[in-house]
Amino acid sequence: MDIKQLSTFQVASETLNFTKSAEILNYAQSSVTSQIKSLEAELGVNLFDRLGNKLVLTSFGEKFKSYSDTIISQYHSAIEEIHFDKNMKSTITVGATESQCTYKLPEVLKELKMLFPNIGVIVKPLHKFSEIQAQLHSGEIDFAFMLGEEIERGGDNLEISKLASERLVLVASPDNTISQITNANLQDLTEETIILTEKGCSYRNLLERTLSSKKINFHATFEITNIETLKNCVKTNLGIALLPYGVVKQEIEKGELKMVRLAEEKNREIYHFISWHKDKKLTPILNSFISVSERVFL
């Protein structure tokens, strides 16, 4: 018994047709018949019953199929494990929002580099879900990190996994009088300048929906796409901003920024997701990237 015979049996047990099996395996039909007969002779049982032009698995064939599937799966896993080498060279292309690029990805890449010293990574800042979908479908990126309240499945072609939740906080300079109010109302913010991230950003969308539902318009708005620049503008009391807590944690702890607590608002949460094309072959390196991301984002 060898792996070639088992593979032939596996295909034949699915097609129940030696002619179709030969086409799939690119063998002559006589070769398929010969391999099955040889396997049956070695096992001492019939694996198939031939009922006229119809082929069916016997009870022995049904039982042997589960074993053959396991053996073949283990064989391929063993081959992959043997060829797995921590020094292998590979390049992963990743899309992520700017805040993820700045505050989460460095730790992911650090751990990945320890596992695979020769790994190469290309990081592309992306914000819009439609843009992320398109680049995953085209193969321009291997993985995408996303932030959102909930992410749609994106059709049947994407695998999307939730990594962790992230609290959204409204922040202001300690010099801003709004930061001194214990239970501010949304109406108290109307004279403030709101500093927004770029259009399509998930937490900007959440803020705009909230304000729209309350029919609130801000005195003035700024749009700043760079997170560090945006935070510095808030620190200099140019305006207030809604940002993930992880982005402003250090500044809050140092007293450079203060959270504005709104009386009527519940805690706002957003989620980190990782996504990839469902047909992508997940090599050991790619699987490691997913597992490292799960640990870091948790």
Side-chain angles (χ1 to χ4, degrees):
M1 185 186 307
D2 59 34
I3 198 69
K4 189 175 181 180
Q5 290 173 324
L6 289 176
S7 296
T8 299
F9 168 75
Q10 189 182 48
V11 173
S13 66
E14 294 291 339
T15 64
L16 296 176
N17 186 302
F18 285 174
T19 302
K20 286 183 181 177
S21 299
E23 290 174 0
I24 292 169
L25 295 166
N26 199 25
Y27 294 159
Q29 183 177 334
S30 58
S31 178
V32 171
T33 303
S34 174
Q35 288 183 48
I36 296 299
K37 283 184 176 179
S38 177
L39 196 55
E40 289 177 328
E42 185 173 347
L43 294 171
V45 295
N46 288 332
L47 299 172
F48 295 94
D49 272 337
R50 297 156 183 82
L51 307 176
N53 292 326
K54 191 176 180 182
L55 198 67
V56 296
L57 281 170
T58 64
S59 59
F60 293 112
E62 292 281 3
K63 187 178 292 186
F64 186 69
K65 185 179 186 306
S66 65
Y67 285 109
S68 69
D69 289 346
T70 301
I71 292 168
I72 290 171
S73 176
Q74 290 178 341
Y75 169 80
H76 288 304
S77 295
I79 293 297
E80 188 174 73
E81 193 69 29
I82 289 167
H83 289 305
F84 175 73
D85 178 0
K86 68 173 294 185
N87 293 314
M88 67 175 68
K89 293 183 179 181
S90 182
T91 299
I92 300 175
T93 303
V94 183
T97 65
E98 192 200 349
S99 61
Q100 290 170 319
C101 288
T102 305
Y103 301 98
K104 292 291 187 179
L105 265 183
E107 191 60 33
V108 173
L109 301 184
K110 179 183 174 182
E111 284 200 32
L112 196 69
K113 187 73 172 176
M114 290 172 64
L115 292 171
F116 306 99
N118 295 323
I119 191 73
V121 179
I122 299 170
V123 177
K124 302 175 68 174
L126 298 172
H127 295 277
K128 297 177 181 176
F129 185 51
S130 58
E131 186 179 34
I132 288 169
Q133 279 183 302
Q135 295 204 24
L136 284 171
H137 282 131
S138 67
E140 292 177 65
I141 56 176
D142 298 303
F143 293 105
F145 290 108
M146 297 168 284
L147 269 172
E149 293 173 87
E150 285 296 337
I151 301 293
E152 296 177 9
R153 295 302 301 173
D156 296 327
N157 294 321
L158 297 184
E159 293 289 344
I160 299 177
S161 176
K162 186 182 288 186
L163 293 173
S165 63
E166 179 91 63
R167 185 160 53 114
L168 288 173
V169 293
L170 193 64
V171 289
S173 164
D175 297 329
N176 191 318
T177 54
I178 198 68
S179 68
Q180 311 303 322
I181 302 175
T182 304
N183 289 305
N185 295 307
L186 281 171
Q187 293 295 339
D188 295 327
L189 308 179
T190 54
E191 295 303 312
E192 297 291 331
T193 295
I194 186 76
I195 305 178
L196 300 169
T197 49
E198 73 173 341
K199 280 191 177 295
C201 173
S202 52
Y203 36 94
R204 171 173 173 165
N205 293 341
L206 175 61
L207 178 60
E208 289 180 331
R209 283 200 305 274
T210 301
L211 296 175
S212 176
S213 68
K214 304 287 185 180
K215 295 182 170 53
I216 292 174
N217 293 312
F218 275 87
H219 175 67
T221 60
F222 281 75
E223 182 177 306
I224 300 175
T225 59
N226 181 272
I227 294 293
E228 288 301 313
T229 303
L230 190 155
K231 286 196 298 181
N232 285 331
C233 288
V234 177
K235 284 192 279 186
T236 59
N237 203 14
L238 181 64
I240 62 176
L242 183 71
L243 293 168
Y245 179 72
V247 168
V248 291
K249 181 175 183 288
Q250 288 187 355
E251 287 80 5
I252 290 172
E253 290 174 349
K254 291 177 182 177
E256 296 173 343
L257 291 174
K258 288 193 70 174
M259 285 191 289
V260 178
R261 302 188 184 279
L262 300 176
E264 73 270 33
E265 288 296 296
K266 299 177 182 177
N267 284 336
R268 295 168 292 270
E269 279 197 337
I270 206 163
Y271 297 93
H272 294 278
F273 298 86
I274 186 172
S275 182
W276 62 94
H277 198 286
K278 75 176 185 64
D279 293 332
K280 176 166 284 294
K281 169 67 174 172
L282 293 180
T283 64
I285 286 181
L286 296 183
N287 272 316
S288 293
F289 184 85
I290 295 171
S291 61
V292 168
S293 299
E294 289 170 344
R295 287 199 304 274
V296 170
F297 276 80
L298 190 61

